[in-house]
Amino acid sequence: MTQTSRVSEVFRAFLLLGVTSFGGPVAHLGYFRTEFVARRKWLTESAYADLVALCQFLPGPASSQVGFALGLMRAGPWGAAMAWLAFTLPSAIVLVLFAFGAAVLEGPIASGIIHGLKVVAVAIVAHAVWGMARNLCPDSTRAGIALAAVFAVVAISGPLGQVGAIVLGGIAGLVLCRGMAATAESEALHFPVSRQVGIIALVLFGGLLAVLPLLAGMAAWLDITDAFYRSGALVFGGGHVVLPLLEAEVVQSGWVSADEFLTGYGAAQAIPGPLFTFSAYLGALIPSGGSLLTATLALLAIFLPGFLLLVGVLPFWNDFRQWQWAQALMRGANAAVVGILGAALYDPVWTSAIIGAEEFALALTGFLLLTVWKLPAWMVVIVVALGGVLIAT
């Protein structure tokens, strides 16, 4: 396969995910696992879990960082760019249209499709949890670590609980998993990023974080860049965690009213793709710009710091993973990732979608189509979305 073909393959795969991936950041990881581990076999189960654990540790939108890394691994820098663009653009376009007054999320058929797509997220995440548990928790030790991670996430909600669960899982792996034989877990992940490029990316990340506040006030576009870059740089776990930072930047500054902010947040909940595309909606409403240009600037600025950090860390990742103690740590961390995904299967994925027996039957149908009949995820999405329309009407 030529490089151009690989880039095209990445774009098509992520565009399909960009219009179907409901359920929030953790659900997106389930979609990615189904598409790129189970179906396309771009990487192994353990390598994927390693990547997820790394992105959960870094500030920024974790699911988008995983998608960016997958595109980078498959087709180089252009693949990374196309993965981000294809996964992000559908929801960004919808939210910008919504900001400009287009009724793109209204009507019984539209609401039925959206409801069906939320239900299919239950099936996708359940399928991911089932597959990852079989591969990454094959013994009682790692199953126990996964169960402990569930309790950690339930006890401490939000990204703090997720990051804490991975840290504790890694510590447990160091203590309990050192004697296990090395398997495919030590397989290297190959990213076309040199150490020099990684160092430049880390310097650029820190430099922009330090310099942009000093330049704020000189021009409107610098104010926007600073506000959204800082929001993207200082949040762990992504998703809903960025909301208070954005509220402080755009509502308290007077750029956007509180009602506009909450209305846009509600719309962002009803569409697929990363919640960080909420920034495009806010950028479109900023009085100093209020245009497609400011929406694009806000969107790019909020994603940039997370991607710079990821590119900075990736060149050193394989060296870290080759150490024996690091492999034990990653066994525990990967088991914790399974637990985190399992907890997310209940809340928010299940609680937001399964409101009655009809939704439960529809989600079970989707799960069986994936596990027994082994249909591709996009086909299951279509079937369950149509089921959502029937329920709504």
Side-chain angles (χ1 to χ4, degrees):
M1 182 179 289
T2 65
Q3 179 67 11
T4 301
S5 298
R6 284 179 178 268
V7 172
S8 178
E9 176 194 29
V10 168
F11 182 83
R12 291 194 306 270
F14 277 94
L15 183 63
L16 189 59
L17 291 168
V19 298
T20 57
S21 296
F22 282 75
V26 181
H28 298 162
L29 300 177
Y31 280 88
F32 291 169
R33 184 260 172 197
T34 298
E35 183 66 20
F36 302 118
V37 178
R39 180 168 176 264
R40 296 179 183 265
K41 302 188 185 304
W42 285 3
L43 69 172
T44 65
E45 195 82 73
S46 57
Y48 177 70
D50 283 0
L51 184 60
V52 170
L54 170 64
C55 293
Q56 291 280 6
F57 273 116
L58 297 177
S63 62
S64 292
Q65 287 170 311
V66 171
F68 184 89
L70 289 170
L72 181 65
M73 182 184 69
R74 185 65 177 174
W78 278 110
M82 290 301 102
W84 173 78
L85 184 66
F87 187 60
T88 306
L89 201 57
S91 57
I93 290 173
V94 171
L95 286 175
V96 169
L97 290 174
F98 187 75
F100 290 157
V104 292
L105 303 174
E106 298 177 0
I109 293 179
S111 62
I113 291 174
I114 289 170
H115 185 54
L117 290 172
K118 288 182 178 180
V119 172
V120 80
V122 177
I124 296 287
V125 175
H127 180 243
V129 172
W130 176 256
M132 293 179 75
R134 285 187 303 169
N135 287 281
L136 301 177
C137 303
D139 50 64
S140 59
T141 299
R142 281 177 278 186
I145 293 173
L147 183 60
V150 173
F151 282 107
V153 172
V154 170
I156 306 174
S157 61
L160 181 60
Q162 295 177 7
V163 173
I166 293 176
V167 171
L168 292 176
I171 294 172
L174 281 173
V175 176
L176 302 174
C177 301
R178 275 182 179 259
M180 297 178 181
T183 61
E185 291 162 323
S186 59
E187 173 193 351
L189 286 172
H190 299 288
F191 297 98
V193 181
S194 67
R195 290 173 179 263
Q196 291 83 358
V197 170
I199 292 171
I200 291 172
L202 291 175
V203 171
L204 188 58
F205 165 82
L208 288 172
L209 191 60
V211 171
L212 282 174
L214 302 178
L215 300 178
M218 298 177 61
W221 70 271
L222 285 172
D223 294 344
I224 295 170
T225 303
D226 172 48
F228 286 92
Y229 184 89
R230 195 162 0 100
S231 297
L234 301 178
V235 59
F236 283 85
H240 304 274
V241 191
V242 78
L243 294 174
L245 294 173
L246 287 176
E247 191 274 341
E249 296 291 348
V250 302
V251 176
Q252 296 180 25
S253 65
W255 284 348
V256 175
S257 71
D259 287 343
E260 289 174 326
F261 186 90
L262 292 175
T263 299
Y265 172 60
Q269 299 301 300
I271 59 174
L275 187 60
F276 267 40
T277 54
F278 182 38
S279 61
Y281 166 87
L282 297 173
L285 294 177
I286 292 176
S288 58
S291 68
L292 187 60
L293 183 61
T294 52
T296 302
L297 181 60
L299 185 68
L300 292 172
I302 201 169
F303 278 100
L304 180 60
F307 291 157
L308 287 174
L309 269 179
L310 181 63
V311 170
V313 170
L314 285 177
F316 308 97
W317 184 235
N318 283 329
D319 287 344
F320 170 79
R321 295 169 75 249
Q322 288 175 0
W323 298 331
Q324 187 175 5
W325 67 267
Q327 291 178 22
L329 183 149
M330 292 311 302
R331 290 187 190 103
N334 290 346
V337 168
V338 175
I340 291 170
L341 201 60
L345 172 60
Y346 174 71
D347 184 17
V349 178
W350 179 284
T351 56
S352 65
I354 308 302
I355 57 177
E358 294 171 325
E359 287 80 7
F360 172 75
L362 195 57
L364 182 60
T365 299
F367 179 76
L368 293 175
L369 290 175
L370 286 167
T371 55
V372 178
W373 285 278
K374 300 188 184 302
L375 293 184
W378 66 266
M379 192 176 295
V380 177
V381 166
I382 293 174
V383 171
V384 178
L386 292 175
V389 174
L390 293 177
I391 291 175
T393 56

